[in-house]
Amino acid sequence: MARLTARRRHLTMAAVSVLVLAATIPGCVAMATEDSGKPEQTQGKSPSGSGTAGSTGTDGKPVASATPSPPERVSAELTRGSESPGKAVNLTIDDGPEPGWTVKVLDVLKKNGATATFCIVGSRAKEYPALVKKVVAAGHRLCDHSVDHNVAMDKRSEAYQRQQVLDARKMIEDAAGGGARVLYYRAPGGAFTPYSREVAASHGMRPLGWNVDTHDWKNPGTDKIVATVKRDLREGPTILFHDGGGNRGQTVAALEQLLPWLREQGYAFGYPRIR
């Protein structure tokens, strides 16, 4: 009888354990299901944190994030100095891209192992995307030079200035493709305002000034352009040239003389400071 009682006790305890385990399993399954969703949400974030990649709406199309991460901010002060230590110059090329002339400028730069920052007009980038791609493929940097090159944009409304700065950046980046970034903003004719500089800086584009204005867009003569650079280089390293806005034959000829001369003087070719 004692053995039978003990056996019944063991059977009862086993039955209770089974009931407890059965009651626990649904909770474990629920917890596992809830936890499994968290890694998927984390993995779905885009690398920049700008939204959830791969999420779709009821129509099966991708849904854009409502709260994209803001772009990295830079200083709103004009930059003119060089990133390169020591003796360096920053070549900046404005108003393109321009069929014929942009390629000629790129060829001279390549021949002399020189780098440059191309300040591109947004509407021109949209018209000639292949030229923008050539600039990027050659390893040069991009600068936003507004949509329409309105040298009086500092007299216009803040809404207009914002449109000129941000629409141009999109046009240039779309033309460049491949995730290329626009790192600077130069107002047409130097028509900066505190507001336009702030808009550019808050979207990761450093406002870009210059130290040496060659006035090459006026076609003053190749010798005059060369002499201006040699005379005014003491003012600072950032030199303003143009590949757009007309016949740039004098600019190309001046660069053919100046780039070897700069090398002989011990200058390296760099980029304007971003930070």
Side-chain angles (χ1 to χ4, degrees):
M1 180 61 98
R3 290 179 181 174
L4 182 60
T5 301
R7 185 177 180 186
R8 286 176 179 172
R9 189 180 299 115
H10 287 309
L11 289 172
T12 300
M13 290 176 66
V16 170
S17 298
V18 170
L19 291 173
V20 170
L21 179 61
T24 305
I25 287 173
C28 294
V29 171
M31 289 176 65
T33 303
E34 181 180 355
D35 289 343
S36 66
K38 290 178 182 178
E40 290 176 2
Q41 292 172 1
T42 301
Q43 292 168 4
K45 294 285 186 181
S46 64
S48 62
S50 60
T52 302
S55 58
T56 57
T58 55
D59 58 358
K61 295 181 179 179
V63 177
S65 170
T67 55
S69 299
E72 183 181 1
R73 181 187 171 79
V74 295
S75 171
E77 295 299 315
L78 287 178
T79 184
R80 297 185 182 90
S82 180
E83 284 184 347
S84 301
K87 200 172 179 180
V89 292
N90 309 319
L91 306 175
T92 63
I93 318 291
D94 285 21
D95 294 2
E98 184 79 31
W101 299 117
T102 298
V103 172
K104 283 180 168 55
V105 169
L106 287 171
D107 287 346
V108 176
L109 294 173
K110 181 178 180 181
K111 177 182 176 182
N112 290 276
T115 55
T117 299
F118 282 75
C119 299
I120 292 176
V121 177
S123 57
R124 304 291 284 173
K126 188 173 182 180
E127 189 173 3
Y128 302 110
L131 291 178
V132 180
K133 288 180 173 64
K134 285 181 181 294
V135 169
V136 174
H140 304 295
R141 288 188 181 178
L142 300 176
C143 172
D144 177 337
H145 203 34
S146 82
V147 173
D148 299 318
H149 200 272
N150 180 357
V151 296
M153 66 176 284
D154 56 331
K155 307 296 193 298
R156 301 290 295 273
S157 69
E158 290 185 347
Y160 175 84
Q161 294 177 48
R162 183 179 183 84
Q163 174 261 327
Q164 286 285 309
V165 174
L166 298 185
D167 284 8
R169 183 184 73 158
K170 185 176 189 310
M171 291 174 179
I172 297 164
E173 290 182 344
D174 285 351
R181 290 185 58 202
V182 177
L183 300 176
Y184 309 92
Y185 166 67
R186 173 176 278 168
F192 290 100
T193 65
Y195 178 77
S196 67
R197 288 191 288 107
E198 177 60 30
V199 169
S202 65
H203 287 79
M205 295 180 289
R206 182 73 186 265
L208 175 58
W210 61 81
N211 304 108
V212 182
D213 187 349
T214 64
H215 297 285
D216 62 331
W217 62 274
K218 297 179 181 179
N219 286 326
T222 299
D223 291 344
K224 183 76 175 291
I225 296 170
V226 171
T228 297
V229 172
K230 291 182 177 181
R231 182 192 67 228
D232 294 346
L233 195 53
R234 62 180 179 272
E235 302 297 330
T238 301
I239 311 172
L240 172 59
F241 295 98
H242 295 78
D243 66 334
N247 187 314
R248 297 279 72 90
Q250 292 181 12
T251 301
V252 173
L255 286 169
E256 287 175 339
Q257 294 184 39
L258 283 167
L259 300 188
W261 178 83
L262 288 165
R263 286 280 193 203
E264 290 169 3
Q265 304 305 306
Y267 285 97
F269 299 103
Y271 294 112
R273 288 196 200 102
I274 297 175
R275 302 182 187 283

